[in-house]
């Protein structure tokens, strides 16, 4: 069942039920008030007749030979007056002695053939007044009043149903337009859905959908970029490997060995590039890295040093005391980011110059800063802006050009940042700012 039909059915039945209960309640009260009013009219007419009769001289009551006074009848209403002796003094109908006979005081019902009468008996000063209403006349009058009351209820109910249908139709019109818009969108369209004209209750849904579309678009862009990067960067080493292997097949001796060595170097470079590409894709693709181990600063720094250039480890000048704090990021990614910074300093700094590696953190701060500094000639401002670009190399040394791009992606993923400083006097410093776990 559609949302519109469900709303119309639920609200329509509720509205009809409430209107029906209100109408039944009103009809019951109206009938009670109507009966009370007619009974009061019947009693008042008896009292009025008694008041008029009591204005007559006293000897009229004693004169039994006085002819019966005939009162002009009113349609549906009868009246009869009895003297203290029980004689009929006046009446409206000569054929209703049984109905208008004196009885107990108050209201009662009497039957004459197929006609029911509402009778009121009143006694005052010995005079007994009996008045009566035809119940069918009452029922006709009551039916007319009920019809006059029910018709506005029915009109109001129908009008309310129409207003309900119109309100639901207009209220759900934005959803209908949104459904039609999404149904006619191209499957490859990832542009945000317009929120103009939508009610505020629907906007969070559309904003969430737009966020999802944006993430899907970014994922597709990353996949396309990964494919393009892989195709571009792997073509050259594969071609070189193929060429060296072809040369080794055609020559013998030292030339063949040299070609095989070059091919092996190309395989190593190709393997390193693939590892870097896969790492970058995993970091940008939000793959889970957390292995449950605490990312302590001293442990991360020690493993980053061990994974870097082993034969050049003596060049590192390491801080004697590491902050006793844990990082709010997976241990594997923290080690990878620091190792890439250390390798960058080893590869691009002077061969005989030391590389300083330390960390700064003040108790209570939410971020910690790793610093890796070399004594190289430094780089200019334009070069600093391109260091985190993919496959960009500052020198002709062998490498994939992905190391600093991976560092930047790791820092961005966990709310940190990586910055580079190259003073005018020479030297180069890379600073990696990463979040600290609750201290």
């Amino acid at each position: 069942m559609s949302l519109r039909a469900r709303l119309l059915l639920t609200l329509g039945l509720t509205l009809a039920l409430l209107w029906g209960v209100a109408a039944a309640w009103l009809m019951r009260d109206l009938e009670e008030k109507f009966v009370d009013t007619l009974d009061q009219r019947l009693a008042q007419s008896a009292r009025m007749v008694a008041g008029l009769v009591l204005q007559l001289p006293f000897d009229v009551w004693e004169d039994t030979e006085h002819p019966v006074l005939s009162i002009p009848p009113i349609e549906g209403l009868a009246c009869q007056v009895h003297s203290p002796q029980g004689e009929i003094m006046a009446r409206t109908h000569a054929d209703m002695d049984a109905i208008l006979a004196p009885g107990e005081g108050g209201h009662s019902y009497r039957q004459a053939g197929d006609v029911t009468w509402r009778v009121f008996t009143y006694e005052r000063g010995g005079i007994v007044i009996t008045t009566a209403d035809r119940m069918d006349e009452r029922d006709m009058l009551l039916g007319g009043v009920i019809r006059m009351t029910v018709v506005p209820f029915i009109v109001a109910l129908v009008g309310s149903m129409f207003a309900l249908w119109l309100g639901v139709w207009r209220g759900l019109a934005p959803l209908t337009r949104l459904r039609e818009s999404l149904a006619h969108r191209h499957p490859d369209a990832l542009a945000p859905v317009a929120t103009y004209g939508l009610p505020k209750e629907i906007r969070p849904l559309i904003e969430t959908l737009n966020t999802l579309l944006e993430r899907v678009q970014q994922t597709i862009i990353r996949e396309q970029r990964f494919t393009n990067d892989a195709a571009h960067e792997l073509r050259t080493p594969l071609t070189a490997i193929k060429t060296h292997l072809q040369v080794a097949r055609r020559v013998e001796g030292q030339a063949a060995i040299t070609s095989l060595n070059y091919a092996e170097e190309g395989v190593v470079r190709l393997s390193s590039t693939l590892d870097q590409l896969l790492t970058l894709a995993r970091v940008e693709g939000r793959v889970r890295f957390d292995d449950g181990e605490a990312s302590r600063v001293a442990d991360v720094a020690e493993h980053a040093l061990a994974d870097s250039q082993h034969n050049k480890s003596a060049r590192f000048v390491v801080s004697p005391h590491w902050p006793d704090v844990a990082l709010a990021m997976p241990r594997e990614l923290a080690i990878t980011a620091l190792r890439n910074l250390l390798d960058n300093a080893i590869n691009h700094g002077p061969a005989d110059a030391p590389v300083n590696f330390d960390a700064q953190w003040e108790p209570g701060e939410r971020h910690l800063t790793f610093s890796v500094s070399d004594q190289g000639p430094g780089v200019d401002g334009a070069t600093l802006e391109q260091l985190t670009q993919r496959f960009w190399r500052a020198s002709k040394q062998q490498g994939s050009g992905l190391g600093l791009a991976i560092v930047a992606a790791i820092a961005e993923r966990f709310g940190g940042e990586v910055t580079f400083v190259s003073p005018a006097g020479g030297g180069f410093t890379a600073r990696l700012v990463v979040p600290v776990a609750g201290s």
Side-chain angles (χ1 to χ4, degrees):
M1 183 181 295
S2 67
L3 179 60
R4 178 180 288 108
R6 188 179 305 167
L7 284 174
L8 287 174
L9 181 61
T10 303
L11 297 179
L13 290 178
T14 303
L15 188 62
L17 179 62
L18 292 177
W19 275 94
V21 171
W25 192 353
L26 179 62
M27 292 301 103
R28 188 193 65 178
D29 290 346
L30 178 62
E31 183 177 2
E32 291 178 356
K33 294 298 181 182
F34 181 81
V35 172
D36 290 342
T37 301
L38 292 182
D39 284 347
Q40 291 176 8
R41 187 196 68 164
L42 192 63
Q44 187 63 28
S45 63
R47 294 187 182 95
M48 182 178 65
V49 171
L52 293 176
V53 170
L54 290 176
Q55 300 297 323
L56 297 176
F58 182 77
D59 57 354
V60 174
W61 304 348
E62 303 294 335
D63 186 3
T64 58
E65 300 299 327
H66 192 280
V68 177
L69 179 64
S70 178
I71 304 173
I74 301 176
E75 185 67 25
L77 182 64
C79 179
Q80 187 165 284
V81 182
H82 294 81
S83 67
Q85 291 77 22
E87 301 294 333
I88 298 176
M89 299 176 58
R91 61 188 175 188
T92 57
H93 297 75
D95 56 348
M96 294 181 57
D97 291 342
I99 298 296
L100 299 176
E104 294 183 0
H107 293 89
S108 62
Y109 290 99
R110 296 181 183 180
Q111 187 78 23
D114 296 332
V115 180
T116 303
W117 293 78
R118 181 67 165 170
V119 179
F120 180 77
T121 302
Y122 177 71
E123 189 273 333
R124 181 179 176 184
I127 303 298
V128 179
I129 313 297
T130 304
T131 55
D133 266 343
R134 288 174 61 106
M135 289 302 300
D136 54 354
E137 295 287 340
R138 283 193 174 194
D139 293 340
M140 289 178 59
L141 181 58
L142 179 60
V145 173
I146 290 178
R147 283 193 298 273
M148 293 179 62
T149 307
V150 168
V151 169
F153 264 85
I154 296 177
V155 173
L157 179 60
V158 173
S160 300
M161 291 296 184
F162 176 76
L164 174 63
W165 176 85
L166 183 61
V168 171
W169 182 83
R170 295 190 62 182
L172 296 181
L175 283 180
T176 302
R177 292 195 300 268
L178 177 61
R179 177 180 59 82
E180 294 175 352
S181 175
L182 294 177
H184 290 87
R185 281 172 68 96
H186 192 274
D188 295 332
L190 297 176
V193 179
T195 59
Y196 177 78
L198 292 178
K200 62 180 181 180
E201 291 82 3
I202 305 177
R203 288 189 178 182
L205 172 64
I206 303 304
E207 291 173 356
T208 303
L209 176 61
N210 288 338
T211 302
L212 177 61
L213 291 175
E214 183 180 359
R215 292 173 58 187
V216 171
Q217 187 176 26
Q218 292 175 355
T219 301
I220 294 176
I221 292 175
R222 284 197 301 267
E223 291 180 353
Q224 292 175 345
R225 185 166 57 178
F226 175 81
T227 303
N228 294 336
D229 292 344
H232 175 269
E233 195 65 20
L234 299 182
R235 185 181 297 111
T236 300
L238 285 175
T239 302
I241 293 171
K242 181 179 180 181
T243 301
H244 291 308
L245 291 176
Q246 290 176 348
V247 172
R249 182 183 299 173
R250 295 176 182 177
V251 299
E252 297 179 355
Q254 187 61 38
I257 295 175
T258 302
S259 296
L260 288 176
N261 290 336
Y262 285 146
E264 184 178 1
E265 292 178 0
V267 171
V268 172
R269 179 185 174 188
L270 180 61
S271 176
S272 176
T273 301
L274 283 174
D275 289 341
Q276 297 278 50
L277 277 172
L278 291 175
T279 300
L280 184 60
R282 292 175 64 196
V283 172
E284 292 184 340
R286 305 298 175 180
V287 176
R288 183 179 178 84
F289 285 87
D290 193 3
D291 56 3
E293 296 187 23
S295 184
R296 308 295 300 182
V297 173
D299 180 62
V300 168
E302 179 182 349
H303 281 80
L305 288 168
D307 292 347
S308 65
Q309 306 288 341
H310 295 285
N311 57 343
K312 300 179 182 180
S313 58
R315 289 177 53 188
F316 293 117
V317 179
V318 181
S319 173
H321 302 288
W322 297 103
D324 186 16
V325 68
L327 303 179
M329 61 187 303
R331 177 172 174 270
E332 177 185 349
L333 292 186
I335 294 174
T336 300
L338 290 178
R339 183 191 64 226
N340 287 357
L341 291 180
L342 294 173
D343 288 345
N344 182 75
I346 289 293
N347 293 331
H348 299 284
D352 55 350
V355 175
N356 297 315
F357 179 34
D358 62 1
Q360 298 85 35
W361 177 74
E362 293 294 335
E365 291 186 355
R366 301 179 63 181
H367 290 82
L368 178 143
T369 302
F370 288 101
S371 296
V372 179
S373 303
D374 61 54
Q375 308 300 322
V379 296
D380 55 25
T383 302
L384 287 176
E385 297 179 356
Q386 302 181 64
L387 289 178
T388 57
Q389 292 184 8
R390 298 183 178 201
F391 305 110
W392 188 90
R393 302 176 181 88
S395 66
K396 296 182 180 179
Q397 296 186 14
Q398 295 293 330
S400 64
L402 292 173
L404 296 182
I406 292 175
V407 176
I410 293 174
E412 180 182 358
R413 175 168 177 173
F414 295 97
E417 63 175 345
V418 58
T419 58
F420 307 101
V421 178
S422 182
F428 180 83
T429 300
R431 294 191 178 96
L432 175 62
V433 180
V434 292
V436 173
S439 57

